[in-house]
Amino acid sequence: MKLGIFGGTFNPIHYGHLINAEFIRSEFALDMIMLVPARRPVHKELDGEVPSRDRYRMARLAVRGVRGYDVSRIEIDRDEPSYTITTVRSLMSLYPGSELFLIIGEDSLAEMDSWREPGRLRELVNLIVMRRPGVDARRAAPAGDGSVAWADNPLIDISSSAIRERIRSGKSVRYMLPDRVLHYALKKGIYAR
């Protein structure tokens, strides 16, 4: 199986995440995209301290009933910080014989050398690097590195931080994220604080 690993805080998950995930699933002929919400991200602050169980549930709602997608609790159930190498090793055990594709943004590629065991990580997975608005990391990639595939994904300038701010301000976020995700967030009052 060709398994795409798409991690993040998903605070909240939105159409930018989902459109790009589907583009990559199709373009790289992946059998499945595994969304992996982080419990405690290592390289980024978690705005608002939204519980991991709520971010997991919103991700599940976003892909409920969609073939080729699943959501993993692998990082949420882990007590220690979310190191990508640990997640990859766990997924290798859960899906033996699968070819793993780690989907990251250009901004993440630029900082990948600061991750835990970056060399070993690159040996274990194929990297798919998504374009991000305002970022051009192609220059940061080692020349001739065949383990990096560049996605020509659409540039969708929707951000979780903008969604959180709009909800806090009472502004509409319709068409920025799935209705099921929005209804869950509003019902729980997650971003109203």
Side-chain angles (χ1 to χ4, degrees):
M1 175 171 66
K2 293 173 71 174
L3 175 63
I5 305 165
F6 189 4
T9 57
F10 301 119
N11 188 25
I13 192 164
H14 55 69
Y15 281 128
H17 296 126
L18 298 168
I19 290 168
N20 281 305
E22 179 60 13
F23 179 90
I24 288 168
R25 190 194 64 76
S26 176
E27 292 301 305
F28 291 91
L30 302 180
D31 297 302
M32 181 186 299
I33 298 277
M34 181 68 69
L35 300 174
V36 185
R39 178 176 182 177
R40 287 194 311 250
V42 177
H43 291 282
K44 159 181 194 175
E45 289 296 317
L46 184 59
D47 184 49
E49 293 301 316
V50 176
S52 57
R53 70 180 176 276
D54 287 322
R55 293 182 289 106
Y56 169 79
R57 287 177 184 148
M58 288 187 284
R60 297 262 328 153
L61 287 169
V63 296
R64 185 176 69 195
V66 180
R67 188 174 172 193
Y69 287 85
D70 203 354
V71 183
S72 173
R73 293 186 55 90
I74 203 162
E75 290 191 3
I76 288 174
D77 292 338
R78 187 183 304 140
D79 287 331
E80 66 267 12
S82 301
Y83 292 107
T84 303
I85 187 71
T86 307
T87 298
V88 165
R89 286 179 173 136
S90 297
L91 288 171
M92 289 176 73
S93 295
L94 290 171
Y95 298 94
S98 292
E99 187 176 6
L100 302 183
F101 295 79
L102 181 62
I103 303 163
I104 62 173
E106 286 180 290
D107 51 340
S108 294
L109 179 66
E111 64 185 28
M112 194 170 183
D113 285 341
S114 69
W115 293 10
R116 181 171 281 188
E117 299 183 54
R120 183 66 180 134
L121 179 61
R122 290 178 74 141
E123 291 172 5
L124 296 176
V125 298
N126 301 289
L127 282 180
I128 299 175
V129 181
M130 294 185 295
R131 298 183 319 142
R132 297 287 303 266
V135 180
D136 183 7
R138 289 180 193 246
R139 291 170 276 162
D145 187 346
S147 67
V148 176
W150 296 92
D152 192 24
N153 57 294
L155 293 175
I156 301 167
D157 201 4
I158 299 174
S159 72
S160 296
S161 58
I163 291 170
R164 292 190 302 268
E165 184 54 39
R166 290 184 67 81
I167 291 174
R168 282 186 196 113
S169 301
K171 296 178 181 173
S172 175
V173 291
R174 183 181 296 161
Y175 306 126
M176 295 175 80
L177 68 169
D179 286 343
R180 290 187 289 222
V181 174
L182 176 58
H183 293 296
Y184 181 89
L186 293 176
K187 180 179 176 184
K188 301 276 283 185
I190 294 172
Y191 302 113
R193 310 170 196 117

